[in-house]
Amino acid sequence: MLAVSVEGMSAASPTQLADEPVSKQLTDGHRHEWEEYWAADSEEHDQNGPAEALRELLEDHRWLLPRGRCLVAGCGRGYDALYLAKRGHACVAVDFCDTAIAKAQKRQQWAETYARLIVPQGTLIVLLYPLIRRGQTPPYRVTMAECEVYLKRYFVLVRVDPNCRCTEGQEGNELMSVWKRL
């Protein structure tokens, strides 16, 4: 993950890093490996939220990221870019893996759809299931941190119940959350 302030960067500039186009820089064979990683829906490197090191830098150490646009290179599912956007930064998120980009866009569209459907001050109730991954087929694992990353732009969390009454056999694998539309 890399986040830098890029004041004055033109809209065309994100595709030009250093002296070569991004596509030429990434011809070392790793692109295919990352496509396989994302296609397999691997969670080996997924923190279901922004990088803890980024949070620590900006929140704990109160490091001031200069105003301007931020570039998040290797954005994966886009958690760091959304985190920076919530803090008021215009972000450009790039990744050379089409599958990772598609996953990030799908999750953001999910939150935007709910925001369009629910009136201001309305309520969104989300039952998170499954919390524990069990195989490679749907339903896919989802976490509270993941929901927060995408929903906090439109909703405020008002209740979380990790001990909700679960479907038989799903104890510890469900979590109820209630959100209020901003």
Side-chain angles (χ1 to χ4, degrees), residues 106-118:
K106 183 177 180 181
R107 291 169 190 229
Q108 186 58 41
Q109 289 169 352
W110 169 79
E112 289 171 355
T113 298
Y114 286 133
R116 282 193 309 273
L117 294 172
I118 298 174

PDB file of all heavy atoms in Angstrom, residues 106-118:
ATOM      1  N   LYS A 106     -17.713  -3.504  -6.766  1.00  0.00           N
ATOM      2  CA  LYS A 106     -18.944  -4.203  -6.398  1.00  0.00           C
ATOM      3  C   LYS A 106     -19.355  -3.874  -4.965  1.00  0.00           C
ATOM      4  O   LYS A 106     -20.517  -3.627  -4.675  1.00  0.00           O
ATOM      5  CB  LYS A 106     -18.746  -5.710  -6.566  1.00  0.00           C
ATOM      6  CG  LYS A 106     -19.979  -6.520  -6.291  1.00  0.00           C
ATOM      7  CD  LYS A 106     -19.726  -7.987  -6.550  1.00  0.00           C
ATOM      8  CE  LYS A 106     -20.957  -8.806  -6.273  1.00  0.00           C
ATOM      9  NZ  LYS A 106     -20.736 -10.231  -6.499  1.00  0.00           N
ATOM     10  N   ARG A 107     -18.398  -3.855  -4.063  1.00  0.00           N
ATOM     11  CA  ARG A 107     -18.712  -3.561  -2.656  1.00  0.00           C
ATOM     12  C   ARG A 107     -19.180  -2.119  -2.483  1.00  0.00           C
ATOM     13  O   ARG A 107     -20.082  -1.832  -1.702  1.00  0.00           O
ATOM     14  CB  ARG A 107     -17.503  -3.862  -1.778  1.00  0.00           C
ATOM     15  CG  ARG A 107     -17.234  -5.342  -1.699  1.00  0.00           C
ATOM     16  CD  ARG A 107     -15.900  -5.630  -1.068  1.00  0.00           C
ATOM     17  NE  ARG A 107     -15.584  -7.036  -1.238  1.00  0.00           N
ATOM     18  CZ  ARG A 107     -15.193  -7.812  -0.268  1.00  0.00           C
ATOM     19  NH1 ARG A 107     -15.030  -7.336   0.928  1.00  0.00           N
ATOM     20  NH2 ARG A 107     -14.934  -9.078  -0.505  1.00  0.00           N
ATOM     21  N   GLN A 108     -18.558  -1.201  -3.199  1.00  0.00           N
ATOM     22  CA  GLN A 108     -18.977   0.194  -3.106  1.00  0.00           C
ATOM     23  C   GLN A 108     -20.380   0.361  -3.682  1.00  0.00           C
ATOM     24  O   GLN A 108     -21.194   1.092  -3.138  1.00  0.00           O
ATOM     25  CB  GLN A 108     -17.981   1.110  -3.824  1.00  0.00           C
ATOM     26  CG  GLN A 108     -18.292   2.583  -3.643  1.00  0.00           C
ATOM     27  CD  GLN A 108     -18.315   3.004  -2.176  1.00  0.00           C
ATOM     28  OE1 GLN A 108     -17.504   2.598  -1.374  1.00  0.00           O
ATOM     29  NE2 GLN A 108     -19.279   3.830  -1.818  1.00  0.00           N
ATOM     30  N   GLN A 109     -20.694  -0.323  -4.761  1.00  0.00           N
ATOM     31  CA  GLN A 109     -22.022  -0.255  -5.364  1.00  0.00           C
ATOM     32  C   GLN A 109     -23.081  -0.789  -4.410  1.00  0.00           C
ATOM     33  O   GLN A 109     -24.194  -0.280  -4.364  1.00  0.00           O
ATOM     34  CB  GLN A 109     -22.054  -1.033  -6.685  1.00  0.00           C
ATOM     35  CG  GLN A 109     -21.271  -0.353  -7.785  1.00  0.00           C
ATOM     36  CD  GLN A 109     -21.083  -1.246  -9.000  1.00  0.00           C
ATOM     37  OE1 GLN A 109     -21.414  -2.434  -8.976  1.00  0.00           O
ATOM     38  NE2 GLN A 109     -20.537  -0.678 -10.053  1.00  0.00           N
ATOM     39  N   TRP A 110     -22.723  -1.809  -3.645  1.00  0.00           N
ATOM     40  CA  TRP A 110     -23.633  -2.377  -2.655  1.00  0.00           C
ATOM     41  C   TRP A 110     -24.062  -1.291  -1.665  1.00  0.00           C
ATOM     42  O   TRP A 110     -25.243  -1.101  -1.410  1.00  0.00           O
ATOM     43  CB  TRP A 110     -22.919  -3.537  -1.966  1.00  0.00           C
ATOM     44  CG  TRP A 110     -23.565  -4.104  -0.737  1.00  0.00           C
ATOM     45  CD1 TRP A 110     -24.605  -4.962  -0.688  1.00  0.00           C
ATOM     46  CD2 TRP A 110     -23.184  -3.852   0.619  1.00  0.00           C
ATOM     47  NE1 TRP A 110     -24.905  -5.271   0.611  1.00  0.00           N
ATOM     48  CE2 TRP A 110     -24.053  -4.610   1.433  1.00  0.00           C
ATOM     49  CE3 TRP A 110     -22.205  -3.075   1.226  1.00  0.00           C
ATOM     50  CZ2 TRP A 110     -23.964  -4.600   2.822  1.00  0.00           C
ATOM     51  CZ3 TRP A 110     -22.116  -3.073   2.608  1.00  0.00           C
ATOM     52  CH2 TRP A 110     -22.989  -3.829   3.385  1.00  0.00           C
ATOM     53  N   ALA A 111     -23.101  -0.543  -1.119  1.00  0.00           N
ATOM     54  CA  ALA A 111     -23.403   0.520  -0.152  1.00  0.00           C
ATOM     55  C   ALA A 111     -24.173   1.655  -0.814  1.00  0.00           C
ATOM     56  O   ALA A 111     -25.131   2.190  -0.233  1.00  0.00           O
ATOM     57  CB  ALA A 111     -22.111   1.049   0.472  1.00  0.00           C
ATOM     58  N   GLU A 112     -23.802   2.034  -2.009  1.00  0.00           N
ATOM     59  CA  GLU A 112     -24.487   3.124  -2.719  1.00  0.00           C
ATOM     60  C   GLU A 112     -25.938   2.768  -3.010  1.00  0.00           C
ATOM     61  O   GLU A 112     -26.816   3.622  -2.938  1.00  0.00           O
ATOM     62  CB  GLU A 112     -23.748   3.445  -4.018  1.00  0.00           C
ATOM     63  CG  GLU A 112     -22.414   4.136  -3.783  1.00  0.00           C
ATOM     64  CD  GLU A 112     -21.573   4.261  -5.040  1.00  0.00           C
ATOM     65  OE1 GLU A 112     -21.963   3.734  -6.109  1.00  0.00           O
ATOM     66  OE2 GLU A 112     -20.503   4.891  -4.939  1.00  0.00           O
ATOM     67  N   THR A 113     -26.206   1.511  -3.323  1.00  0.00           N
ATOM     68  CA  THR A 113     -27.580   1.076  -3.586  1.00  0.00           C
ATOM     69  C   THR A 113     -28.445   1.252  -2.349  1.00  0.00           C
ATOM     70  O   THR A 113     -29.551   1.792  -2.419  1.00  0.00           O
ATOM     71  CB  THR A 113     -27.595  -0.396  -4.054  1.00  0.00           C
ATOM     72  OG1 THR A 113     -26.856  -0.484  -5.274  1.00  0.00           O
ATOM     73  CG2 THR A 113     -29.013  -0.887  -4.275  1.00  0.00           C
ATOM     74  N   TYR A 114     -27.942   0.810  -1.196  1.00  0.00           N
ATOM     75  CA  TYR A 114     -28.704   0.998   0.043  1.00  0.00           C
ATOM     76  C   TYR A 114     -28.912   2.477   0.334  1.00  0.00           C
ATOM     77  O   TYR A 114     -29.986   2.882   0.786  1.00  0.00           O
ATOM     78  CB  TYR A 114     -28.021   0.312   1.223  1.00  0.00           C
ATOM     79  CG  TYR A 114     -28.146  -1.185   1.201  1.00  0.00           C
ATOM     80  CD1 TYR A 114     -27.042  -1.990   1.410  1.00  0.00           C
ATOM     81  CD2 TYR A 114     -29.362  -1.803   0.958  1.00  0.00           C
ATOM     82  CE1 TYR A 114     -27.153  -3.371   1.388  1.00  0.00           C
ATOM     83  CE2 TYR A 114     -29.477  -3.172   0.926  1.00  0.00           C
ATOM     84  CZ  TYR A 114     -28.370  -3.960   1.144  1.00  0.00           C
ATOM     85  OH  TYR A 114     -28.480  -5.313   1.117  1.00  0.00           O
ATOM     86  N   ALA A 115     -27.918   3.283   0.098  1.00  0.00           N
ATOM     87  CA  ALA A 115     -28.031   4.719   0.362  1.00  0.00           C
ATOM     88  C   ALA A 115     -29.111   5.362  -0.519  1.00  0.00           C
ATOM     89  O   ALA A 115     -29.824   6.259  -0.077  1.00  0.00           O
ATOM     90  CB  ALA A 115     -26.682   5.410   0.136  1.00  0.00           C
ATOM     91  N   ARG A 116     -29.230   4.899  -1.747  1.00  0.00           N
ATOM     92  CA  ARG A 116     -30.274   5.438  -2.642  1.00  0.00           C
ATOM     93  C   ARG A 116     -31.668   4.985  -2.218  1.00  0.00           C
ATOM     94  O   ARG A 116     -32.639   5.709  -2.392  1.00  0.00           O
ATOM     95  CB  ARG A 116     -30.023   5.003  -4.088  1.00  0.00           C
ATOM     96  CG  ARG A 116     -28.952   5.789  -4.794  1.00  0.00           C
ATOM     97  CD  ARG A 116     -28.960   5.544  -6.296  1.00  0.00           C
ATOM     98  NE  ARG A 116     -28.941   4.142  -6.668  1.00  0.00           N
ATOM     99  CZ  ARG A 116     -27.833   3.413  -6.822  1.00  0.00           C
ATOM    100  NH1 ARG A 116     -26.653   3.964  -6.647  1.00  0.00           N
ATOM    101  NH2 ARG A 116     -27.898   2.148  -7.162  1.00  0.00           N
ATOM    102  N   LEU A 117     -31.777   3.787  -1.680  1.00  0.00           N
ATOM    103  CA  LEU A 117     -33.078   3.218  -1.340  1.00  0.00           C
ATOM    104  C   LEU A 117     -33.622   3.679   0.009  1.00  0.00           C
ATOM    105  O   LEU A 117     -34.833   3.662   0.227  1.00  0.00           O
ATOM    106  CB  LEU A 117     -33.001   1.691  -1.350  1.00  0.00           C
ATOM    107  CG  LEU A 117     -32.736   1.051  -2.708  1.00  0.00           C
ATOM    108  CD1 LEU A 117     -32.492  -0.443  -2.550  1.00  0.00           C
ATOM    109  CD2 LEU A 117     -33.907   1.305  -3.649  1.00  0.00           C
ATOM    110  N   ILE A 118     -32.743   4.083   0.905  1.00  0.00           N
ATOM    111  CA  ILE A 118     -33.170   4.431   2.260  1.00  0.00           C
ATOM    112  C   ILE A 118     -33.134   5.944   2.429  1.00  0.00           C
ATOM    113  O   ILE A 118     -32.117   6.587   2.163  1.00  0.00           O
ATOM    114  CB  ILE A 118     -32.289   3.720   3.305  1.00  0.00           C
ATOM    115  CG1 ILE A 118     -32.463   2.196   3.146  1.00  0.00           C
ATOM    116  CG2 ILE A 118     -32.635   4.172   4.723  1.00  0.00           C
ATOM    117  CD1 ILE A 118     -31.565   1.376   4.002  1.00  0.00           C
TER     118      ILE A 118
END
